Coordinates of all heavy atoms in Angstrom, one line a residue:
M243 N 3.0 -4.8 -6.5 CA 3.9 -3.7 -6.0 C 5.4 -4.0 -6.3 O 6.1 -3.1 -6.5 CB 3.7 -3.6 -4.4 CG 2.5 -2.9 -4.0 SD 2.3 -1.3 -4.7 CE 3.0 -0.3 -3.5
R244 N 5.8 -5.3 -6.3 CA 7.2 -5.6 -6.5 C 7.5 -5.2 -7.9 O 8.7 -4.8 -8.2 CB 7.5 -7.0 -6.2 CG 6.7 -8.0 -7.0 CD 7.0 -9.4 -6.6 NE 5.8 -10.2 -6.9 CZ 5.3 -11.1 -6.1 NH1 5.9 -11.3 -4.9 NH2 4.3 -11.8 -6.4
H245 N 6.6 -5.4 -8.9 CA 6.9 -5.0 -10.3 C 7.1 -3.5 -10.4 O 8.0 -3.0 -11.1 CB 5.7 -5.5 -11.2 CG 5.5 -6.9 -11.1 ND1 4.6 -7.5 -10.4 CD2 6.1 -8.0 -11.8 CE1 4.6 -8.8 -10.5 NE2 5.6 -9.1 -11.4
L246 N 6.2 -2.7 -9.7 CA 6.3 -1.3 -9.8 C 7.6 -0.8 -9.1 O 8.3 0.1 -9.6 CB 5.1 -0.7 -9.1 CG 5.0 0.9 -9.1 CD1 5.1 1.5 -10.5 CD2 3.8 1.3 -8.3
A247 N 7.9 -1.4 -8.0 CA 9.1 -1.1 -7.3 C 10.4 -1.3 -8.1 O 11.3 -0.5 -8.2 CB 9.3 -1.8 -6.0
A248 N 10.4 -2.4 -8.8 CA 11.5 -2.7 -9.7 C 11.6 -1.7 -10.9 O 12.7 -1.3 -11.2 CB 11.4 -4.1 -10.2
Y249 N 10.4 -1.4 -11.4 CA 10.3 -0.4 -12.5 C 10.9 0.9 -12.0 O 11.7 1.5 -12.8 CB 8.9 -0.3 -12.9 CG 8.7 0.6 -14.2 CD1 8.7 0.0 -15.4 CD2 8.4 1.9 -14.0 CE1 8.5 0.8 -16.6 CE2 8.2 2.7 -15.2 CZ 8.2 2.2 -16.4 OH 8.0 2.9 -17.5
L250 N 10.5 1.4 -10.9 CA 10.9 2.6 -10.3 C 12.4 2.6 -10.0 O 13.1 3.6 -10.3 CB 10.1 3.0 -9.1 CG 8.7 3.4 -9.4 CD1 7.9 3.6 -8.1 CD2 8.5 4.6 -10.3
L251 N 12.9 1.5 -9.5 CA 14.4 1.4 -9.3 C 15.2 1.5 -10.6 O 16.2 2.2 -10.6 CB 14.7 0.0 -8.6 CG 14.4 0.0 -7.1 CD1 14.6 -1.5 -6.6 CD2 15.3 0.9 -6.3
L252 N 14.6 0.9 -11.6 CA 15.3 1.0 -12.9 C 15.3 2.5 -13.4 O 16.3 2.9 -14.0 CB 14.6 0.1 -13.9 CG 14.9 -1.4 -13.8 CD1 13.9 -2.3 -14.5 CD2 16.3 -1.7 -14.2
Q253 N 14.2 3.1 -13.2 CA 14.1 4.6 -13.6 C 15.1 5.4 -12.8 O 15.8 6.3 -13.4 CB 12.7 5.1 -13.5 CG 11.9 4.7 -14.7 CD 10.9 5.7 -15.1 OE1 10.4 6.4 -14.2 NE2 10.6 5.8 -16.3
I254 N 15.1 5.2 -11.5 CA 16.1 5.9 -10.7 C 17.5 5.7 -11.1 O 18.4 6.5 -11.1 CB 15.9 5.6 -9.2 CG1 14.5 6.2 -8.7 CG2 17.0 6.2 -8.4 CD1 14.1 5.7 -7.3
G255 N 17.8 4.4 -11.6 CA 19.1 4.0 -12.0 C 19.5 4.6 -13.3 O 20.6 4.4 -13.8
G256 N 18.6 5.3 -14.0 CA 18.9 5.9 -15.3 C 18.3 5.3 -16.5 O 18.4 5.8 -17.6
N257 N 17.5 4.2 -16.4 CA 16.8 3.6 -17.5 C 15.4 4.4 -17.6 O 14.5 4.1 -16.9 CB 16.5 2.1 -17.2 CG 16.0 1.4 -18.4 OD1 15.4 2.0 -19.3 ND2 16.1 0.1 -18.4
A258 N 15.4 5.2 -18.6 CA 14.2 6.1 -18.8 C 12.9 5.3 -19.2 O 11.8 5.7 -18.8 CB 14.4 7.2 -19.8
S259 N 13.1 4.2 -19.8 CA 11.9 3.4 -20.3 C 12.2 1.9 -20.1 O 12.5 1.2 -21.0 CB 11.6 3.7 -21.7 OG 10.5 3.0 -22.1
P260 N 12.1 1.4 -18.9 CA 12.4 0.0 -18.6 C 11.4 -0.9 -19.3 O 10.2 -0.7 -19.5 CB 12.2 -0.1 -17.1 CG 12.3 1.2 -16.5 CD 11.8 2.1 -17.6
T261 N 12.0 -2.1 -19.8 CA 11.2 -3.1 -20.5 C 10.8 -4.2 -19.5 O 11.3 -4.2 -18.4 CB 11.9 -3.7 -21.6 OG1 13.1 -4.4 -21.1 CG2 12.4 -2.7 -22.6
A262 N 9.9 -5.0 -19.9 CA 9.5 -6.2 -19.1 C 10.7 -7.0 -18.7 O 10.8 -7.5 -17.6 CB 8.4 -7.0 -19.7
D263 N 11.6 -7.2 -19.7 CA 12.8 -8.0 -19.4 C 13.7 -7.4 -18.4 O 14.3 -8.1 -17.5 CB 13.6 -8.2 -20.7 CG 12.9 -9.2 -21.6 OD1 12.2 -10.1 -21.1 OD2 13.1 -9.1 -22.9
D264 N 13.8 -6.0 -18.4 CA 14.6 -5.3 -17.4 C 14.0 -5.6 -16.0 O 14.8 -5.8 -15.1 CB 14.6 -3.8 -17.7 CG 15.3 -3.4 -19.0 OD1 16.2 -4.2 -19.4 OD2 15.0 -2.4 -19.6
V265 N 12.7 -5.5 -15.9 CA 12.1 -5.7 -14.6 C 12.3 -7.1 -14.1 O 12.6 -7.4 -13.0 CB 10.6 -5.3 -14.7 CG1 9.9 -5.6 -13.4 CG2 10.4 -3.8 -15.0
R266 N 12.2 -8.1 -15.1 CA 12.4 -9.5 -14.7 C 13.8 -9.7 -14.2 O 14.0 -10.5 -13.2 CB 12.2 -10.4 -15.9 CG 10.7 -10.7 -16.2 CD 10.5 -11.7 -17.3 NE 9.2 -11.6 -17.8 CZ 8.9 -11.0 -19.0 NH1 9.8 -10.4 -19.7 NH2 7.6 -11.0 -19.4
K267 N 14.8 -9.0 -14.8 CA 16.2 -9.2 -14.3 C 16.4 -8.7 -12.9 O 17.0 -9.3 -12.1 CB 17.1 -8.5 -15.3 CG 17.3 -9.1 -16.6 CD 18.2 -8.3 -17.5 CE 18.3 -8.9 -18.9 NZ 19.0 -8.1 -19.9
V268 N 15.7 -7.5 -12.6 CA 15.9 -6.9 -11.3 C 15.2 -7.9 -10.3 O 15.8 -8.2 -9.2 CB 15.2 -5.5 -11.2 CG1 15.1 -5.0 -9.8 CG2 16.0 -4.5 -12.0
L269 N 14.0 -8.3 -10.6 CA 13.3 -9.2 -9.7 C 14.0 -10.5 -9.5 O 14.2 -11.1 -8.4 CB 11.9 -9.4 -10.1 CG 11.0 -8.2 -10.1 CD1 9.6 -8.6 -10.7 CD2 10.8 -7.7 -8.6
G270 N 14.6 -11.1 -10.6 CA 15.3 -12.3 -10.6 C 16.6 -12.2 -9.8 O 17.0 -13.2 -9.1
A271 N 17.2 -11.0 -9.7 CA 18.4 -10.8 -9.0 C 18.2 -11.0 -7.5 O 19.1 -11.3 -6.7 CB 19.0 -9.4 -9.2
V272 N 17.0 -10.8 -7.0 CA 16.7 -11.0 -5.6 C 15.8 -12.2 -5.3 O 15.2 -12.4 -4.3 CB 16.0 -9.8 -5.0 CG1 17.0 -8.6 -5.0 CG2 14.8 -9.4 -5.7
G273 N 15.7 -13.1 -6.4 CA 15.0 -14.4 -6.2 C 13.5 -14.3 -6.3 O 12.8 -15.2 -5.7
I274 N 13.0 -13.3 -6.9 CA 11.5 -13.1 -7.1 C 11.1 -13.5 -8.5 O 11.7 -12.9 -9.4 CB 11.0 -11.7 -6.7 CG1 11.4 -11.4 -5.2 CG2 9.5 -11.6 -7.0 CD1 11.1 -10.0 -4.8
E275 N 10.1 -14.3 -8.7 CA 9.6 -14.6 -10.0 C 8.6 -13.6 -10.4 O 7.6 -13.4 -9.7 CB 9.0 -16.0 -10.0 CG 8.7 -16.5 -11.4 CD 8.2 -18.0 -11.4 OE1 8.7 -18.8 -10.6 OE2 7.3 -18.3 -12.2
A276 N 8.7 -13.1 -11.6 CA 7.8 -12.0 -12.1 C 6.5 -12.7 -12.6 O 6.5 -13.8 -13.2 CB 8.4 -11.2 -13.2
D277 N 5.4 -12.1 -12.3 CA 4.1 -12.5 -12.8 C 3.9 -11.8 -14.2 O 3.7 -10.6 -14.3 CB 3.0 -12.0 -11.9 CG 1.6 -12.4 -12.4 OD1 1.5 -13.0 -13.5 OD2 0.6 -12.2 -11.6
D278 N 4.1 -12.6 -15.3 CA 4.1 -12.0 -16.6 C 2.8 -11.2 -17.0 O 3.0 -10.1 -17.6 CB 4.3 -13.1 -17.7 CG 5.6 -13.7 -17.6 OD1 6.6 -13.0 -17.2 OD2 5.8 -14.9 -18.0
E279 N 1.7 -11.6 -16.5 CA 0.4 -10.9 -16.9 C 0.4 -9.5 -16.2 O 0.2 -8.5 -16.9 CB -0.8 -11.7 -16.4 CG -2.1 -11.1 -16.7 CD -3.3 -11.9 -16.2 OE1 -3.1 -13.2 -16.2 OE2 -4.3 -11.3 -15.8
R280 N 0.8 -9.5 -14.9 CA 0.8 -8.2 -14.2 C 1.9 -7.3 -14.7 O 1.7 -6.1 -14.8 CB 1.0 -8.4 -12.7 CG -0.3 -9.0 -12.1 CD -0.1 -9.1 -10.6 NE -1.3 -9.6 -10.0 CZ -1.5 -9.6 -8.7 NH1 -0.5 -9.2 -7.9 NH2 -2.6 -10.1 -8.2
L281 N 3.0 -7.9 -15.0 CA 4.2 -7.1 -15.5 C 3.8 -6.5 -16.9 O 4.1 -5.3 -17.1 CB 5.4 -8.0 -15.6 CG 6.7 -7.3 -16.1 CD1 7.0 -6.1 -15.3 CD2 7.8 -8.3 -16.2
E282 N 3.2 -7.2 -17.8 CA 2.9 -6.7 -19.1 C 1.9 -5.6 -19.0 O 1.9 -4.6 -19.7 CB 2.4 -7.8 -20.0 CG 3.4 -8.8 -20.4 CD 4.6 -8.2 -21.2 OE1 4.4 -7.2 -21.9 OE2 5.7 -8.7 -21.0
K283 N 0.9 -5.7 -18.0 CA -0.1 -4.7 -17.8 C 0.6 -3.4 -17.3 O 0.3 -2.3 -17.7 CB -1.2 -5.2 -16.8 CG -2.3 -4.2 -16.5 CD -3.4 -4.7 -15.7 CE -4.4 -3.7 -15.3 NZ -5.2 -3.1 -16.3
L284 N 1.5 -3.6 -16.3 CA 2.2 -2.4 -15.8 C 3.0 -1.7 -16.9 O 2.9 -0.5 -17.0 CB 3.2 -2.9 -14.7 CG 4.1 -1.8 -14.1 CD1 3.3 -0.8 -13.3 CD2 5.2 -2.4 -13.4
I285 N 3.7 -2.4 -17.7 CA 4.5 -1.8 -18.8 C 3.6 -1.1 -19.7 O 3.9 0.0 -20.2 CB 5.4 -2.9 -19.5 CG1 6.4 -3.5 -18.5 CG2 6.1 -2.3 -20.7 CD1 7.4 -2.6 -17.9
S286 N 2.5 -1.7 -20.1 CA 1.6 -1.1 -21.1 C 1.0 0.2 -20.5 O 0.7 1.2 -21.2 CB 0.5 -2.0 -21.6 OG -0.3 -2.4 -20.5
E287 N 0.7 0.2 -19.2 CA 0.0 1.3 -18.5 C 1.0 2.5 -18.4 O 0.6 3.6 -18.5 CB -0.5 1.0 -17.2 CG -1.7 0.0 -17.2 CD -3.0 0.7 -17.6 OE1 -3.1 1.9 -17.3 OE2 -3.8 0.0 -18.2
L288 N 2.3 2.2 -18.2 CA 3.3 3.2 -18.0 C 4.0 3.7 -19.2 O 4.8 4.6 -19.2 CB 4.3 2.8 -16.9 CG 3.7 2.6 -15.5 CD1 4.8 2.0 -14.6 CD2 3.1 3.8 -15.0
D289 N 3.8 3.0 -20.3 CA 4.5 3.2 -21.6 C 4.2 4.7 -22.1 O 3.1 5.0 -22.3 CB 4.1 2.2 -22.7 CG 5.0 2.3 -23.9 OD1 6.2 2.6 -23.8 OD2 4.4 2.1 -25.0
G290 N 5.3 5.4 -22.2 CA 5.2 6.8 -22.7 C 4.7 7.8 -21.7 O 4.5 8.9 -22.1
K291 N 4.6 7.4 -20.5 CA 4.1 8.4 -19.4 C 5.3 8.8 -18.5 O 6.2 8.0 -18.3 CB 3.0 7.8 -18.6 CG 1.8 7.5 -19.4 CD 0.7 6.9 -18.6 CE -0.5 6.6 -19.5 NZ -1.6 5.9 -18.7
D292 N 5.2 10.0 -18.0 CA 6.2 10.5 -17.1 C 5.9 10.0 -15.7 O 4.8 10.4 -15.1 CB 6.3 12.0 -17.1 CG 7.3 12.6 -16.2 OD1 8.3 11.9 -15.8 OD2 7.2 13.7 -15.8
V293 N 6.7 9.2 -15.1 CA 6.4 8.6 -13.8 C 6.3 9.7 -12.7 O 5.5 9.6 -11.8 CB 7.4 7.5 -13.4 CG1 7.2 7.0 -12.0 CG2 7.3 6.3 -14.4
N294 N 7.2 10.7 -12.8 CA 7.1 11.7 -11.8 C 5.8 12.5 -11.8 O 5.3 12.8 -10.8 CB 8.3 12.7 -12.0 CG 9.6 12.0 -11.7 OD1 9.8 11.2 -10.8 ND2 10.6 12.4 -12.5
A295 N 5.3 12.7 -13.0 CA 4.0 13.4 -13.1 C 2.9 12.5 -12.6 O 1.9 13.0 -11.9 CB 3.7 13.7 -14.6
L296 N 3.0 11.2 -12.8 CA 2.0 10.3 -12.3 C 2.0 10.2 -10.8 O 0.9 10.2 -10.1 CB 2.2 8.8 -12.8 CG 1.9 8.7 -14.3 CD1 2.4 7.3 -14.8 CD2 0.5 8.9 -14.7
I297 N 3.2 10.2 -10.2 CA 3.3 10.2 -8.7 C 2.7 11.5 -8.2 O 2.0 11.5 -7.2 CB 4.8 10.0 -8.3 CG1 5.2 8.6 -8.7 CG2 5.0 10.3 -6.8 CD1 6.7 8.3 -8.5
A298 N 3.0 12.7 -8.8 CA 2.5 13.9 -8.3 C 1.0 14.0 -8.4 O 0.3 14.4 -7.5 CB 3.1 15.1 -9.1
E299 N 0.4 13.4 -9.5 CA -1.0 13.4 -9.7 C -1.7 12.5 -8.6 O -2.7 12.8 -8.0 CB -1.4 12.9 -11.1 CG -2.8 12.8 -11.4 CD -3.1 12.2 -12.7 OE1 -2.2 12.4 -13.6 OE2 -4.2 11.6 -12.9
G300 N -1.0 11.4 -8.3 CA -1.6 10.4 -7.3 C -1.5 11.0 -5.9 O -2.4 10.9 -5.1
S301 N -0.4 11.8 -5.6 CA -0.3 12.4 -4.3 C -1.4 13.5 -4.1 O -1.9 13.6 -3.0 CB 1.1 13.1 -4.2 OG 2.1 12.1 -4.2
A302 N -1.7 14.2 -5.2 CA -2.8 15.2 -5.1 C -4.1 14.5 -4.9 O -4.9 15.0 -4.1 CB -2.8 16.0 -6.4
K303 N -4.3 13.4 -5.5 CA -5.6 12.7 -5.3 C -5.7 12.1 -3.8 O -6.7 12.2 -3.2 CB -5.7 11.5 -6.3 CG -6.1 12.0 -7.7 CD -6.2 10.8 -8.6 CE -6.5 11.3 -10.0 NZ -6.7 10.1 -10.9
L304 N -4.6 11.6 -3.3 CA -4.6 11.1 -2.0 C -4.8 12.2 -0.9 O -5.3 11.9 0.1 CB -3.2 10.3 -1.7 CG -3.1 9.0 -2.3 CD1 -1.7 8.4 -2.0 CD2 -4.2 8.0 -1.7
A305 N -4.3 13.4 -1.2 CA -4.5 14.5 -0.3 C -6.0 14.8 -0.1 O -6.3 15.3 1.0 CB -3.7 15.7 -0.8
S306 N -6.8 14.5 -1.0 CA -8.2 14.8 -0.9 C -9.0 13.7 -0.3 O -10.2 13.9 0.0 CB -8.8 15.1 -2.3 OG -8.8 14.0 -3.1
V307 N -8.4 12.6 0.0 CA -9.1 11.4 0.6 C -9.1 11.6 2.1 O -8.1 11.8 2.8 CB -8.4 10.1 0.3 CG1 -9.0 8.9 1.0 CG2 -8.4 9.9 -1.2
P308 N -10.3 11.5 2.7 CA -10.3 11.6 4.2 C -9.6 10.4 4.8 O -9.8 9.3 4.4 CB -11.8 11.6 4.5 CG -12.5 11.0 3.3 CD -11.6 11.3 2.2
S309 N -8.9 10.7 5.9 CA -8.1 9.6 6.5 C -8.8 9.0 7.7 O -8.2 8.1 8.3 CB -6.7 10.1 6.9 OG -6.8 11.2 7.8
G310 N -10.0 9.5 8.1 CA -10.7 8.9 9.2 C -10.1 9.3 10.5 O -9.1 10.1 10.6
G311 N -10.6 8.8 11.6 CA -10.1 9.1 12.9 C -10.6 10.4 13.5 O -10.5 10.6 14.7
A312 N -11.2 11.3 12.7 CA -11.7 12.5 13.2 C -13.2 12.3 13.7 O -13.9 11.6 13.0 CB -11.7 13.6 12.2
V313 N -13.5 12.9 14.8 CA -14.9 12.8 15.3 C -15.7 14.0 14.6 O -15.2 15.1 14.5 CB -14.9 13.0 16.8 CG1 -16.4 13.0 17.3 CG2 -14.1 11.9 17.5
A314 N -16.8 13.6 14.1 CA -17.7 14.6 13.5 C -18.1 15.7 14.4 O -18.4 15.4 15.6 CB -18.9 14.0 12.9
A315 N -18.0 17.0 14.0 CA -18.4 18.1 14.8 C -19.9 18.2 14.9 O -20.6 17.9 13.9 CB -17.8 19.4 14.2
P316 N -20.4 18.5 16.1 CA -21.9 18.6 16.2 C -22.4 19.8 15.4 O -21.7 20.7 15.2 CB -22.1 18.8 17.7 CG -20.8 19.3 18.3 CD -19.7 18.7 17.4
A317 N -23.6 19.6 14.9 CA -24.2 20.7 14.1 C -24.4 21.9 14.9 O -24.8 21.9 16.1 CB -25.5 20.2 13.5
A318 N -24.2 23.1 14.3 CA -24.4 24.3 15.0 C -25.9 24.6 15.2 O -26.6 24.3 14.3 CB -23.7 25.5 14.2
G319 N -26.3 25.0 16.3 CA -27.7 25.3 16.5 C -28.3 24.6 17.7 O -29.4 24.7 17.9
G320 N -27.5 24.0 18.5 CA -27.9 23.4 19.7 C -28.5 22.0 19.6 O -28.6 21.5 18.6
G321 N -28.9 21.5 20.8 CA -29.5 20.1 20.8 C -28.6 19.1 20.2 O -27.9 19.3 19.2
G322 N -28.6 17.9 20.6 CA -27.9 16.8 20.0 C -26.4 16.8 20.4 O -25.6 16.0 19.9
G323 N -26.0 17.6 21.3 CA -24.6 17.6 21.8 C -24.2 16.4 22.6 O -23.1 16.0 22.6
G324 N -25.2 15.7 23.1 CA -24.9 14.5 24.0 C -24.6 13.3 23.2 O -24.1 12.3 23.6
A325 N -25.0 13.2 21.9 CA -24.9 12.0 21.1 C -23.4 11.8 20.7 O -23.0 10.7 20.6 CB -25.8 12.1 19.9
A326 N -22.7 12.9 20.4 CA -21.3 12.8 19.9 C -20.4 12.1 20.9 O -19.7 11.2 20.5 CB -20.8 14.1 19.5
P327 N -20.4 12.4 22.2 CA -19.6 11.7 23.1 C -19.9 10.2 23.3 O -19.0 9.4 23.4 CB -19.8 12.5 24.4 CG -20.3 13.8 24.1 CD -21.0 13.6 22.8
A328 N -21.2 9.9 23.2 CA -21.6 8.5 23.3 C -21.1 7.7 22.1 O -20.6 6.6 22.2 CB -23.1 8.4 23.4
E329 N -21.1 8.3 20.9 CA -20.6 7.7 19.7 C -19.1 7.5 19.8 O -18.6 6.5 19.4 CB -21.0 8.5 18.5 CG -22.5 8.4 18.1 CD -22.9 9.4 17.0 OE1 -21.9 9.9 16.3 OE2 -24.1 9.5 16.7
A330 N -18.4 8.5 20.3 CA -17.0 8.5 20.4 C -16.6 7.4 21.4 O -15.6 6.6 21.1 CB -16.4 9.8 20.9
A331 N -17.3 7.2 22.5 CA -17.0 6.2 23.5 C -17.2 4.8 22.9 O -16.4 3.9 23.1 CB -17.9 6.4 24.7
A332 N -18.3 4.7 22.1 CA -18.6 3.4 21.4 C -17.5 3.0 20.4 O -17.0 1.9 20.3 CB -19.9 3.4 20.7
A333 N -17.0 4.0 19.7 CA -15.9 3.8 18.7 C -14.6 3.4 19.5 O -13.9 2.5 19.0 CB -15.6 5.1 17.9
E334 N -14.3 4.0 20.6 CA -13.1 3.7 21.4 C -13.2 2.2 21.9 O -12.2 1.5 21.9 CB -12.9 4.6 22.5 CG -12.5 6.0 22.1 CD -12.3 6.9 23.3 OE1 -12.2 6.4 24.4 OE2 -12.3 8.1 23.1
E335 N -14.4 1.8 22.3 CA -14.6 0.4 22.8 C -14.3 -0.6 21.7 O -13.7 -1.6 21.9 CB -16.0 0.3 23.4 CG -16.2 0.9 24.7 CD -17.6 0.7 25.2 OE1 -18.3 -0.3 24.8 OE2 -18.1 1.6 26.0
K336 N -14.8 -0.3 20.5 CA -14.6 -1.2 19.3 C -13.1 -1.3 19.0 O -12.6 -2.3 18.8 CB -15.3 -0.7 18.1 CG -16.8 -0.9 18.2 CD -17.5 -0.4 16.9 CE -19.0 -0.5 17.0 NZ -19.7 0.0 15.8
E337 N -12.4 -0.1 19.1 CA -10.9 -0.1 18.9 C -10.2 -1.0 19.9 O -9.3 -1.7 19.6 CB -10.4 1.3 18.8 CG -10.8 2.1 17.6 CD -10.2 3.5 17.6 OE1 -9.2 3.7 18.3 OE2 -10.8 4.3 16.9
E338 N -10.6 -0.8 21.2 CA -10.0 -1.6 22.2 C -10.2 -3.1 22.0 O -9.3 -3.9 22.2 CB -10.6 -1.2 23.6 CG -10.1 0.2 24.0 CD -10.8 0.6 25.3 OE1 -11.3 -0.3 26.0 OE2 -10.7 1.8 25.7
K339 N -11.4 -3.5 21.6 CA -11.7 -4.9 21.3 C -10.8 -5.4 20.2 O -10.2 -6.5 20.2 CB -13.1 -5.1 21.0 CG -14.0 -5.0 22.1 CD -15.5 -5.2 21.8 CE -16.4 -5.0 23.0 NZ -17.8 -5.1 22.6
K340 N -10.6 -4.6 19.1 CA -9.7 -5.0 18.0 C -8.3 -5.1 18.5 O -7.6 -6.1 18.1 CB -9.8 -3.9 16.9 CG -11.1 -4.0 16.1 CD -11.0 -3.0 15.0 CE -12.3 -2.9 14.2 NZ -12.3 -1.9 13.2
E341 N -7.8 -4.2 19.3 CA -6.5 -4.3 19.8 C -6.3 -5.5 20.7 O -5.2 -6.2 20.6 CB -6.1 -3.0 20.7 CG -6.0 -1.8 19.8 CD -5.8 -0.6 20.7 OE1 -5.5 -0.7 21.9 OE2 -5.8 0.6 20.1
E342 N -7.3 -5.9 21.5 CA -7.2 -7.1 22.3 C -7.0 -8.3 21.4 O -6.3 -9.2 21.7 CB -8.4 -7.2 23.2 CG -8.4 -6.2 24.3 CD -9.7 -6.3 25.2 OE1 -10.4 -7.2 25.0 OE2 -9.9 -5.3 26.0
K343 N -7.8 -8.3 20.3 CA -7.8 -9.5 19.4 C -6.4 -9.6 18.8 O -5.8 -10.7 18.7 CB -8.8 -9.3 18.4 CG -9.0 -10.5 17.5 CD -10.1 -10.2 16.5 CE -11.1 -11.4 16.5 NZ -12.2 -11.2 15.6
E344 N -5.8 -8.5 18.4 CA -4.5 -8.5 17.8 C -3.4 -9.0 18.8 O -2.5 -9.7 18.4 CB -4.1 -7.1 17.3 CG -4.9 -6.7 16.1 CD -4.7 -5.2 15.7 OE1 -3.7 -4.6 16.2 OE2 -5.3 -4.7 14.8
E345 N -3.6 -8.5 20.0 CA -2.6 -8.9 21.0 C -2.6 -10.4 21.3 O -1.6 -11.1 21.6 CB -2.9 -8.2 22.3 CG -2.5 -6.7 22.2 CD -2.9 -6.0 23.5 OE1 -3.3 -6.6 24.5 OE2 -2.7 -4.7 23.5
S346 N -3.8 -11.1 21.1 CA -3.9 -12.5 21.4 C -3.2 -13.3 20.3 O -2.8 -14.4 20.6 CB -5.4 -12.9 21.5 OG -6.0 -12.8 20.2
D347 N -2.9 -12.7 19.2 CA -2.1 -13.4 18.1 C -0.6 -13.4 18.4 O 0.1 -14.0 17.7 CB -2.4 -12.7 16.8 CG -3.8 -12.9 16.3 OD1 -4.5 -13.8 16.8 OD2 -4.3 -12.1 15.5
D348 N -0.2 -12.6 19.4 CA 1.3 -12.5 19.7 C 1.9 -13.9 20.0 O 3.0 -14.2 19.6 CB 1.5 -11.5 20.8 CG 1.3 -10.1 20.3 OD1 1.3 -9.9 19.1 OD2 1.2 -9.2 21.2
D349 N 1.2 -14.7 20.8 CA 1.8 -15.9 21.2 C 1.4 -17.1 20.3 O 0.4 -17.7 20.4 CB 1.4 -16.3 22.7 CG 2.1 -17.5 23.2 OD1 3.2 -17.8 22.7 OD2 1.6 -18.1 24.1
M350 N 2.3 -17.3 19.3 CA 2.0 -18.3 18.3 C 3.0 -19.5 18.4 O 3.2 -20.2 17.5 CB 2.0 -17.8 16.9 CG 1.0 -16.7 16.7 SD 1.1 -15.9 15.1 CE 0.6 -17.2 14.0
G351 N 3.6 -19.6 19.6 CA 4.5 -20.7 19.8 C 6.0 -20.4 19.5 O 6.8 -21.2 19.6
F352 N 6.2 -19.2 19.0 CA 7.6 -18.8 18.7 C 7.7 -17.3 18.9 O 6.7 -16.6 18.8 CB 8.0 -19.2 17.3 CG 7.1 -18.6 16.2 CD1 7.5 -17.4 15.6 CD2 6.0 -19.3 15.8 CE1 6.7 -16.9 14.6 CE2 5.2 -18.8 14.8 CZ 5.5 -17.6 14.2
G353 N 8.9 -16.8 19.0 CA 9.1 -15.4 19.2 C 9.9 -14.9 18.0 O 10.4 -15.6 17.2
L354 N 10.0 -13.6 17.9 CA 10.8 -13.0 16.8 C 12.2 -13.4 16.8 O 12.8 -13.6 15.8 CB 10.6 -11.5 17.0 CG 11.3 -10.6 15.9 CD1 10.7 -11.0 14.5 CD2 11.1 -9.1 16.1
F355 N 12.8 -13.6 18.0 CA 14.3 -13.8 18.0 C 14.6 -15.2 18.5 O 15.7 -15.5 18.9 CB 15.0 -12.8 18.9 CG 14.8 -11.4 18.4 CD1 14.0 -10.5 19.1 CD2 15.5 -11.0 17.3 CE1 13.8 -9.2 18.6 CE2 15.3 -9.7 16.8 CZ 14.5 -8.8 17.5
D356 N 13.6 -16.2 18.4 CA 13.9 -17.5 18.8 C 14.6 -18.3 17.8 O 14.5 -18.2 16.6 CB 12.5 -18.2 19.1 CG 11.9 -17.7 20.4 OD1 12.7 -17.1 21.2 OD2 10.7 -18.0 20.6

């Protein structure tokens, strides 16, 4: 992601076709060492392509991906209406257990502002 972010920053800054060296310079300015293999792959994948079109295409693809969290509607036609609330309750219990687990990680011997 850092390689892509640097590439996009260079494009926003006016460099229409950033090179691997350009990306290395941006990353080096903030103390990040570039991974040459990943950087070369990124440059080769984006070479000659319009980044704005790629972003628009990716956004369209993401819009079609279900994001979860919705409870399935019961089938029309009766019967089976009691199963959905039970499933929803079970899902909520699982989420609560996950939240409790995350909360237990809060006390690691130091605080954010210590």
Side-chain angles (χ1 to χ4, degrees):
M243 284 304 269
R244 59 181 154 228
H245 299 97
L246 180 59
Y249 186 92
L250 293 173
L251 282 172
L252 286 162
Q253 280 214 326
I254 290 171
N257 187 343
S259 183
T261 64
D263 287 332
D264 294 334
V265 174
R266 279 188 200 98
K267 287 178 187 175
V268 169
L269 293 175
V272 292
I274 298 173
E275 187 175 325
D277 180 356
D278 291 333
E279 182 180 328
R280 288 185 179 187
L281 181 56
E282 292 302 326
K283 181 173 173 67
L284 174 73
I285 297 296
S286 68
E287 292 286 329
L288 295 177
D289 189 35
K291 295 181 182 174
D292 179 25
V293 173
N294 293 322
L296 292 173
I297 291 172
E299 182 182 330
S301 294
K303 287 181 181 180
L304 284 175
S306 67
V307 175
S309 60
V313 177
E329 290 175 10
E334 288 179 20
E335 287 180 24
K336 288 181 182 178
E337 287 181 24
E338 288 177 15
K339 288 180 183 178
K340 286 182 184 178
E341 289 176 12
E342 289 175 12
K343 188 178 233 183
E344 290 174 7
E345 290 176 7
S346 68
D347 292 340
D348 288 342
D349 186 24
M350 298 176 67
F352 59 91
L354 182 61
F355 300 106
D356 287 344

